[in-house]
Amino acid sequence: MWRLKNDDPERGVIAPLTALLMVFLLGMAAFAVDVSTMYSEHAQLQNGADSSALAIALDCAATPPAAGCAAPVASAAGLANSNALDAHSNVLSATVNSGTVNVTTQAQDTSGNNYFSLVFARALGIQTSDIRASAQAKFGGYMAGNVVPLSFSKCESDPFFSKDLQFFPSHGNALASDPAYECITSSSSGLEVPGGFGWLDHVAGTCNVKVNIADPWVGTNTGQNYDTDCGTLMTQWGNTLADPKKTVEILVPIFDNRRGTGTGAEFHIEAFAQVSLRGWNLKGGNTLPEDFMTAEATKLSKALKLKSSDNGIFARFIKKVSLAEAATLGGPTTYGAPGVQLTQ
């Protein structure tokens, strides 16, 4: 009798390995299917929460408020179901409080159970998943966001300036005859209005001004000295800019018209200038917070032959920002400019 010799001890292993791998691959495929359907369910719930929050906020912003503002849960339920592929979702909560609408939606199956039923994960003992989504919307009067209460004329913030680093003057006339600086003031001191140096009226104790989009006239805060309410913030800016690797970007108002004189003067704010601050001389002194100069600001000041009476800021102009782009909610609706925003 001849004995058959087997030269391949691993022969026949492919079949069981394939069977084991198939179980693993099928399990992964099943897991992927369940996860993808869960993502889809969450997207539907988020759409429902977003649309509900916005719709309720619109109802509350109406004059008089519409029915959805008084019954937010009922209003949210209809919209949440409309955004679900199976027309089933649960509104856990829908509240209106102080100009803010919050809505939270939850997965619901076709039998009315408040959970999402899994398919393939059941083989691992996982039957359901609790999927939720939340949204927040605000309503009220539109106002432009908080910005530094120091304004410059439209020509001083021209977006077509080719200069990298600029001087934005608030006082002084050293540049009145410089064609590179387009603003020619009629006053010998370089004032935009008699007694005004670009500082704007604002709430005492703060270093920001809000601009009402519907009525963007802001009163001038007379006097040459820097605004003392901004002292702490300006000191922080100086400490930050002391490190050459760090920058400070701010929004400053741009006016395109003015009216009145002295304490009664007002600036019409057209937009904001987004600038990268590099230094300032806002009083004629040489210490923080009224004065701070980086090396490049000092170099530009010498090149422009600025005098101690030439006050303003040194900054790189980045771009103009419209009032709408910087808009925030929270202002009065006196001028008929109510609106809503999805905030979360």
Side-chain angles (χ1 to χ4, degrees):
M1 177 185 296
W2 294 92
R3 174 178 291 180
L4 295 176
K5 186 177 180 181
N6 185 0
D7 295 327
D8 187 358
E10 297 182 0
R11 196 169 184 178
V13 174
I14 297 301
L17 280 178
T18 301
L20 290 172
L21 287 173
M22 285 298 292
V23 172
F24 173 76
L25 291 174
L26 289 173
M28 291 301 296
F31 177 75
V33 170
D34 271 345
V35 169
S36 63
T37 55
M38 290 170 66
Y39 270 108
S40 175
E41 180 71 13
H42 183 269
Q44 296 168 51
L45 291 171
Q46 191 64 62
N47 288 338
D50 290 347
S51 60
S52 298
L54 284 171
I56 295 170
L58 283 169
D59 284 349
C60 292
T63 305
C69 186
V73 174
S75 178
L79 288 165
N81 287 337
S82 297
N83 281 275
L85 294 178
D86 59 2
H88 282 273
S89 61
N90 178 44
V91 176
L92 275 176
S93 64
T95 60
V96 179
N97 184 32
S98 301
T100 302
V101 178
N102 287 288
V103 176
T104 299
T105 55
Q106 181 184 36
Q108 185 181 84
D109 65 16
T110 54
S111 299
N113 299 308
N114 295 327
Y115 52 70
F116 180 74
S117 297
L118 300 172
V119 179
F120 296 102
R122 291 176 177 269
L124 302 176
I126 305 174
Q127 307 291 321
T128 62
S129 177
D130 184 11
I131 304 176
R132 304 181 183 188
S134 297
Q136 182 184 87
K138 292 189 176 182
F139 60 91
Y142 267 121
M143 299 186 79
N146 294 340
V147 292
V148 178
L150 178 64
S151 186
F152 301 94
S153 65
K154 182 178 180 179
C155 56
E156 291 165 342
S157 301
D158 194 309
F160 300 105
F161 273 2
S162 59
K163 297 182 292 296
D164 180 28
L165 181 65
Q166 301 178 45
F167 175 63
F168 294 81
S170 61
H171 176 265
N173 59 358
L175 302 176
S177 60
D178 188 338
Y181 284 79
E182 302 174 7
C183 302
I184 305 298
T185 58
S186 58
S187 170
S188 60
S189 64
L191 308 185
E192 300 294 354
V193 297
F197 296 85
W199 291 102
L200 303 176
D201 286 339
H202 58 91
V203 177
T206 68
C207 186
N208 56 66
V209 61
K210 283 191 174 181
V211 182
N212 193 321
I213 289 180
D215 187 42
W217 286 95
V218 181
T220 182
N221 185 0
T222 58
Q224 178 183 354
N225 293 352
Y226 76 95
D227 193 318
T228 54
D229 283 337
C230 294
T232 299
L233 183 60
M234 292 162 63
T235 299
Q236 293 174 356
W237 291 343
N239 292 334
T240 299
L241 292 173
D243 183 345
K245 297 180 181 179
K246 295 182 179 179
T247 59
V248 172
E249 289 189 9
I250 61 173
L251 289 180
V252 292
I254 305 168
F255 67 88
D256 58 359
N257 200 0
R258 62 174 177 83
R259 63 189 182 191
T261 59
T263 57
E266 293 180 305
F267 293 118
H268 184 270
I269 306 303
E270 178 214 26
F272 303 113
Q274 180 181 349
V275 299
S276 178
L277 196 60
R278 304 310 300 157
W280 60 87
N281 178 357
L282 296 173
K283 189 178 179 181
N286 56 9
T287 59
L288 278 171
E290 61 202 43
D291 180 89
F292 177 84
M293 302 285 283
T294 61
E296 54 187 334
T298 300
K299 182 178 179 181
L300 177 60
S301 178
K302 292 179 179 179
L304 295 175
K305 298 180 180 179
L306 299 181
K307 302 184 291 290
S308 59
S309 59
D310 292 306
N311 302 140
I313 67 172
F314 296 83
R316 288 191 176 90
F317 179 78
I318 299 174
K319 64 177 181 179
K320 275 188 176 180
V321 178
S322 70
L323 298 183
E325 286 179 294
T328 59
L329 287 172
T333 56
T334 308
Y335 303 100
V340 299
Q341 285 180 333
L342 193 65
T343 52
Q344 289 183 16

